[in-house]
Amino acid sequence: MKCTVVLLVLLAGCATSQKPAPVVDRKQPARAATPASKPAPVQAAEGTYIVKKGDTLYSIALENGADYRDVAAWNRLSDPTKINVGQVLRVTPPEESRVQVGKAKLPERGEARPLDLPPPQQSQAKPPTQPSKPPETSASEFVWPAKGKVIAGFAEPRRKGIDIDAKLGDPVIAAAAGRVTYTGAGIPGLGKLVVIKHDNGFITVYAHNRDILVKEQQTVRRGQKIAEVGNTDADRPKLHFQIRTGSAAADPMRYLPAL
């Protein structure tokens, strides 16, 4: 009898010590984790540029067909080498710097004539002349900047010009007359380079030079020696040559004369 009582007490203790099973509400579906939304990329306003990693003021100016001095002036930068990622730069002239139209000059009064004189003979009216278009730059206006075969062609956007095979120290000449707007090594991947601005919005670029023989703001003539072929920031001696129309890179083979 005592054994029976002890057994009942033990069974009761075990029953009360068990925890109740958790209750799961299967009616409500589990919420899926919502992915974090990426912030929308910031778009630059017209006439401006947002500085990215690896940019320099010289590369920004070249890509937008501007002189780096002008870009620095438009943004009041005292040191062209100090720009920050995310900084918004103006790459076109501000409104106030554009040419303003002056007041029209009134014609001077003619001399009075007696009424009894016959009126002057009127010349036959000439048809209005159409405004002349600026001359388009043709292939004959550019010459080859170096002697050698083309070893890499134009392939936008990866390659914005052509590579010309040459020997170390070979002359690099200006492909057309113009004004030197930049000399130096401020654009990554191009080594020592020369940038020349020509008429009608054309710009030529000569990269990987060994020595540069011209200075900024210097006027050069077509065929003038401006540098010597080098291998700065390149795997071999060569000349990387670009022709740009404003901010757009163009295939130089369209403008250079046939060999």
Side-chain angles (χ1 to χ4, degrees), residues 126-195:
K126 296 181 180 180
T129 58
Q130 297 294 333
S132 59
K133 296 181 179 179
E136 296 182 356
T137 301
S138 62
S140 61
E141 296 186 24
F142 287 97
V143 296
W144 282 85
K147 294 182 179 180
K149 64 179 181 179
V150 177
I151 56 177
F154 177 82
E156 176 77 333
R158 182 170 54 90
R159 189 164 46 249
K160 299 180 182 295
I162 60 175
D163 291 346
I164 303 174
D165 186 25
K167 295 180 181 179
L168 200 66
D170 280 356
V172 176
I173 63 174
R179 178 176 57 88
V180 179
T181 59
Y182 177 71
T183 62
I187 301 180
L190 296 182
K192 293 182 180 180
L193 72 150
V194 178
V195 179

Side-chain angles (χ1 to χ4, degrees), residues 211-227:
D211 294 320
I212 296 175
L213 308 178
V214 291
K215 298 180 180 180
E216 294 181 5
Q217 303 300 322
Q218 179 179 340
T219 300
V220 295
R221 65 184 183 277
R222 182 176 62 176
Q224 178 179 339
K225 185 178 178 180
I226 59 174

Side-chain angles (χ1 to χ4, degrees), residues 57-58 61-62 66-73 80 181-183 216-217:
L57 190 68
Y58 313 109
L62 179 61
D67 190 323
Y68 79 91
R69 295 177 191 79
D70 293 334
V71 178
T181 59
Y182 177 71
T183 62
E216 294 181 5
Q217 303 300 322

